[in-house]
Amino acid sequence: DYLKLKMRLTPYLYSYSREAHETGVPTVRGMVLEFPDDPITFGTYTQYQFMCGETFLVAPIYENTTTRDGIYLPEGTWIDYWDGTSYEGSMTLNGYDAPLEKLPLFVKAGAIIPMYPEMLHDREKPKNPIKVLLFTMKGYICRISNPME
């Protein structure tokens, strides 16, 4: 499922790869890079999580467990990518259910994410229609098919 997600996120990742080429700002970013005014991001408290672009907060499991403690969500509204649950930052999320098939992945509310259709490799399916996911403040996910029509 993670390979499918990576392929679906190709348009998003390409956009940030271009930004990295033009500005030198990496696609994968330490929390302090995106939240320089938040003192919690300065030290080691957020060392086991990172931003992918400006909108995805990734908090990988780094211990042999199925729950994740110590996920820091900076100021703003954050949406659980997998189930749409909304969280209001600044807060630390403990006891997050994270079996192997559920990487803790949060999206900043207001994000617009372009996505390819689900596939395992680049030429498996046509890339049209591209879907756009809109993450609203209440955590609802709106799926818009073929936004170019």
Side-chain angles (χ1 to χ4, degrees), residues 127-132 143-149:
K127 293 177 183 78
N128 290 323
I130 289 180
K131 290 186 178 181
V132 176
R143 298 174 191 275
I144 305 166
S145 295
N146 211 356
M148 302 309 279
E149 289 183 347

Side-chain angles (χ1 to χ4, degrees), residues 25-146:
V25 176
T27 302
V28 175
R29 306 163 181 196
M31 297 296 292
V32 70
L33 185 60
E34 282 301 313
F35 303 97
D37 296 328
D38 187 337
I40 293 175
T41 66
F42 292 1
T44 59
Y45 191 76
T46 59
Q47 69 182 341
Y48 297 115
Q49 64 186 62
F50 59 90
M51 297 296 295
C52 180
E54 298 174 340
T55 56
F56 278 102
L57 189 153
V58 185
I61 303 298
Y62 58 92
E63 297 176 326
N64 187 16
T65 182
T66 58
T67 59
R68 175 67 152 82
D69 291 327
I71 301 173
Y72 177 67
L73 302 175
E75 187 176 338
T77 303
W78 295 90
I79 313 304
D80 185 319
Y81 177 82
W82 305 109
D83 65 15
T85 302
S86 179
Y87 299 93
E88 199 60 42
S90 295
M91 68 166 293
T92 298
L93 184 59
N94 290 313
Y96 182 84
D97 184 38
L100 186 59
E101 63 275 0
K102 186 183 176 190
L103 170 72
L105 183 61
F106 302 89
V107 185
K108 191 185 295 185
I112 299 172
I113 311 293
M115 298 182 93
Y116 282 161
E118 188 174 288
M119 61 182 126
L120 290 174
H121 56 84
D122 194 34
R123 293 192 178 113
E124 180 181 1
K125 296 179 184 175
K127 293 177 183 78
N128 290 323
I130 289 180
K131 290 186 178 181
V132 176
L133 298 185
L134 172 62
F135 291 83
T136 69
M137 297 300 249
K138 294 185 179 181
Y140 300 116
I141 301 172
C142 304
R143 298 174 191 275
I144 305 166
S145 295
N146 211 356

